[in-house]
Amino acid sequence: NLDFYFHLSDPDYQDLPTLLKPNFIMATRGEPCNTGMFMVEPSQQNFEQYLDIVRRQHLQAKILPYPHFDWDKGWGHSFTEAGDFWESVKITQRRQWRWHASHSDQGLMYMYAKYVIQDVSIAIGDRVQNWRGGSSCLPIKESDVRDLLTPFQGKLLRHQHLCNNAERGQQNRFWRCNPPYDSTAHFMGKDKPWLGHRIRDKNATHGQYGAKGQWFAELEIINNKLNMSIDVENWNNKISPRMTGVMLGEMAMFRDQEDVIGIV
């Protein structure tokens, strides 16, 4: 249940302390923002600012050579000129917009939450940073706390990456064994369950096998409840072979840029 993220960011919720900002993003191994999971505060004013970031970026991108992205200024912020940097779980103090999907949603969300709205919590491994607006148009870091979310996360539905056996500092994968990373299953690229064979073992904890097994179990429940007529039982023989080619939402690629910014 992900309700505790909303409760921890809601000052009107009395049963838990307000430890998170109304906007929340997470860093991963090499990215300061991974949009596999994020939370934003509903606001018409903020949405207009979001759209303005996109409009300005698309106008600038049209006059840039392939891949139509400025590695220094990114979505409108120069780390070098501002004297700040980004960090991820495994990378510290980088000053260029060079990470996976920095030209796409993962760069856009980082720009929006940290540098435009300037009211955000950022999970970086087992740490959570809180940022607020500053007087010099740069956000100010209020706090950087370890194990902030763990006490509030209930029992997990499924374990991933052998996290049920992980001990602090013992394995390189440990950062994945903290919320928000273990709160959800982020199926990336061609590793999405609907692109492969059906997995029946919901209790497996290696990789994301258990999570994929849960996905198919939920699909079967919904399929039966809504009479969707999907042959889940014969997925491997009848459905899986048809799930080929590039599908919407598979992965942000540079080759998509010209279509996105409207020059083709």
Side-chain angles (χ1 to χ4, degrees), residues 193-255:
W194 54 90
L195 296 180
H197 283 188
R198 180 186 182 185
I199 295 176
R200 297 178 182 272
D201 187 359
K202 297 183 294 183
N203 298 315
T205 63
H206 58 290
Q208 292 186 302
Y209 278 82
K212 289 180 179 179
Q214 184 67 36
W215 187 90
F216 278 104
E218 297 291 340
L219 173 63
E220 191 165 24
I221 293 172
I222 295 172
N223 183 51
N224 294 333
K225 183 177 180 179
L226 301 180
N227 296 316
M228 298 169 66
S229 300
I230 300 174
D231 193 354
V232 180
E233 185 64 29
N234 294 297
W235 181 277
N236 293 351
N237 296 326
K238 295 184 178 180
I239 308 298
S240 180
R242 295 159 52 190
M243 308 296 280
T244 59
V246 177
M247 295 190 173
L248 181 65
E250 184 175 303
M251 186 177 294
M253 305 295 288
F254 289 127
R255 62 173 178 262

Side-chain angles (χ1 to χ4, degrees), residues 2 12 146:
L2 300 179
D12 295 326
R146 292 187 183 277

Side-chain angles (χ1 to χ4, degrees), residues 48-60 75:
E48 291 299 329
Q49 293 184 78
Y50 173 91
L51 292 177
D52 188 55
I53 300 170
V54 175
R55 293 188 193 102
R56 287 187 284 106
Q57 168 64 13
H58 284 185
L59 286 174
Q60 179 66 21
W75 288 87

Side-chain angles (χ1 to χ4, degrees), residues 71-113:
W71 302 114
D72 293 317
K73 295 184 178 179
W75 288 87
H77 174 80
S78 171
F79 299 103
T80 303
E81 293 176 6
D84 71 332
F85 56 87
W86 62 265
E87 62 178 310
S88 67
V89 174
K90 298 296 182 181
I91 298 174
T92 60
Q93 299 194 17
R94 289 290 176 88
R95 291 182 169 85
Q96 281 198 318
W97 290 77
R98 288 185 179 272
W99 63 83
H100 175 64
S102 60
H103 71 291
S104 184
D105 54 337
Q106 298 188 163
L108 171 59
M109 186 55 63
Y110 190 66
M111 179 70 187
Y112 168 80

Side-chain angles (χ1 to χ4, degrees), residues 140-158:
I140 295 174
K141 184 166 62 176
E142 290 183 336
S143 60
D144 192 326
V145 181
R146 292 187 183 277
D147 298 323
L148 183 70
L149 299 173
T150 303
F152 305 100
Q153 176 164 259
K155 183 179 179 180
L156 295 175
L157 187 63
R158 297 286 171 241

